[in-house]
Amino acid sequence: MNAVETPWDRKDLIAIEDLRREEIEVIHELAASFKEALQNDPASLPSLRGKTILNLFVEPSTRTRLAFEIAAKRLGADVALVERAASSLVKGESLRDTAQVIEALQADAIILRHSAAGSAHYLANVVDIPVINAGDGAHEHPTQALLDTFTMREKLGGRLDGRKVTILGDILFSRVARSNIFALQKLGAQVTVSGPATLVPEGFRDFGVEVNLDLRSALADADVVMLLRIQHERQTSTHFPNLGEYQSLYGLNAEREAWLKPETIIMHPGPINRGIELDSSLADGGRAVILDQVTNGIVNRMAVLALCLGHPKGGAER
Ligand code: CP
């Protein structure tokens, strides 16, 4: 495996908004080299043997938690899991105290999934070990955007400069949308957001994206269509009459597939509400790269772990 020159100087990964284009590219280059090494030469992978990665998941997760666990194990690290229901968080212990206990137990990094926006940033200032944001409320989900843009680069043939990506659905409450908007713009892509006006506020123009509530034209010239799940758990009021109405007005189905270019790919971060934002015929069809996204989550998270734990303050010298 070729060594990747790294301009990386971060103990933590909190938000794509913080990253420069070169930092995203170095993660992708490292992830690509890990993907090749996993297939051809696993012995050449860098080692995190002797390190312990702590998955602190205060909100449910399947993909992110498992991909971080597998990524850490591929690099030789040990992994432990703290979930809210089986921890002293339910007895009222604070997140700060929980994190300090984890650090006192000599974990080498914390992967945090939490419902509160800003929680990962907060923890990164509480502990000296790396903190990696695995999704904080409606703020950011940086590793999701890294694996999404990595998958787009694989499928579209390299660079994303000038590519058109339409993100459709619950933009307002989506940390995936926010992280992808930042990542895509840094990588030179043009982003359009679409969906019901109540979930696609005009204020998103301030992020530099096109807001287009006309679904047909939002889909027509897209190279990538990214569907988002309706996130009932974050909505404090009703943003559309019912799921049936959402499906009939904004769901991607076989009829609307005809509006896409032949080569357009369909993405979804998961979990999918089948039959609501995306019909099963498309979720399981030839355009969908949804399971490639999941698989690419391993190598992108391996890259993030290797970079953050390789940082001088990241525990490499411990
Ligand atoms: N995409 C994503 O974050 O999925 P999980 O909630 O299953 O981790």
Side-chain angles (χ1 to χ4, degrees):
M1 194 182 73
N2 294 328
V4 174
E5 288 293 320
T6 109
W8 191 260
D9 188 26
R10 295 177 187 277
K11 170 179 85 72
D12 313 295
L13 176 64
I14 306 301
I16 297 291
E17 189 175 12
D18 299 339
L19 300 185
R20 302 187 312 277
R21 176 175 178 144
E22 310 87 76
E23 292 176 289
I24 296 173
E25 287 175 340
V26 89
I27 293 168
H28 283 170
E29 284 168 34
L30 195 53
S33 71
F34 286 172
K35 193 163 182 172
E36 195 182 324
L38 283 172
Q39 284 161 1
N40 302 322
D41 187 13
S44 70
L45 289 166
S47 177
L48 294 182
R49 200 168 304 284
K51 304 292 181 193
T52 300
I53 309 296
L54 201 298
N55 268 339
L56 175 54
F57 276 63
V58 184
E59 235 192 15
S61 165
T62 298
R63 279 151 281 266
T64 311
R65 181 174 66 76
L66 285 172
F68 266 116
E69 180 170 337
I70 292 166
K73 288 180 173 170
R74 292 277 185 271
L75 292 171
D78 295 318
V79 183
L81 172 65
V82 177
E83 289 180 300
R84 178 180 159 75
S87 75
S88 290
L89 287 163
V90 291
K91 301 177 199 165
E93 187 163 42
S94 69
L95 181 64
R96 180 192 182 98
D97 283 344
T98 304
Q100 287 180 328
V101 167
I102 289 168
E103 191 171 36
L105 289 167
Q106 301 196 316
D108 295 285
I110 297 175
I111 316 298
L112 178 68
R113 158 76 56 105
H114 201 285
S115 57
S119 50
H121 175 76
Y122 169 75
L123 267 206
N125 290 317
V126 168
V127 295
D128 290 330
I129 57 178
V131 173
I132 296 166
N133 183 3
D136 62 330
H139 173 228
E140 279 225 31
H141 192 347
T143 57
Q144 181 70 46
L146 290 168
L147 71 91
D148 288 340
T149 48
F150 180 92
T151 304
M152 289 180 213
R153 292 179 68 180
E154 269 191 348
K155 300 296 175 186
L156 302 179
R159 298 169 71 90
L160 297 181
D161 297 278
R163 291 294 194 170
K164 295 187 174 175
V165 179
T166 292
I167 307 178
L168 171 60
D170 181 354
I171 309 294
L172 178 62
F173 293 96
S174 176
R175 57 194 176 207
V176 174
R178 290 173 61 92
S179 288
N180 265 294
I181 286 169
F182 292 128
L184 286 162
Q185 289 184 325
K186 287 168 197 268
L187 294 172
Q190 296 171 30
V191 183
T192 297
V193 292
S194 188
T198 47
L199 292 174
V200 186
E202 290 289 324
F204 267 73
R205 292 188 204 281
D206 295 345
F207 289 120
V209 305
E210 181 192 20
V211 174
N212 183 354
L213 304 186
D214 176 59
L215 185 56
R216 187 171 189 143
S217 65
L219 295 178
D221 61 353
D223 297 299
V224 178
V225 176
M226 180 182 293
L227 284 310
L228 296 178
R229 183 175 67 91
I230 300 300
Q231 300 188 84
H232 307 285
E233 71 274 22
R234 297 194 209 292
Q235 297 179 10
T236 51
S237 59
T238 306
H239 288 75
F240 48 86
N242 55 56
L243 288 176
E245 178 141 336
Y246 183 89
Q247 190 277 335
S248 73
L249 292 175
Y250 300 101
L252 193 59
N253 52 27
E255 187 186 327
R256 291 180 180 135
E257 185 191 8
W259 300 345
L260 301 175
K261 297 190 292 185
E263 66 275 20
T264 303
I265 59 171
I266 295 174
M267 304 182 75
H268 195 305
I272 303 170
N273 292 315
R274 284 177 181 261
I276 307 297
E277 70 267 9
L278 181 61
D279 270 15
S280 280
S281 62
L282 300 184
D284 302 327
R287 293 177 184 273
V289 299
I290 297 167
L291 293 177
D292 298 281
Q293 292 172 255
V294 175
T295 304
N296 284 334
I298 296 172
V299 288
N300 278 273
R301 289 170 174 124
M302 287 172 70
V304 169
L305 288 173
L307 289 167
C308 289
L309 276 91
H311 184 274
K313 291 184 188 163
E317 79 283 11
R318 280 159 58 128

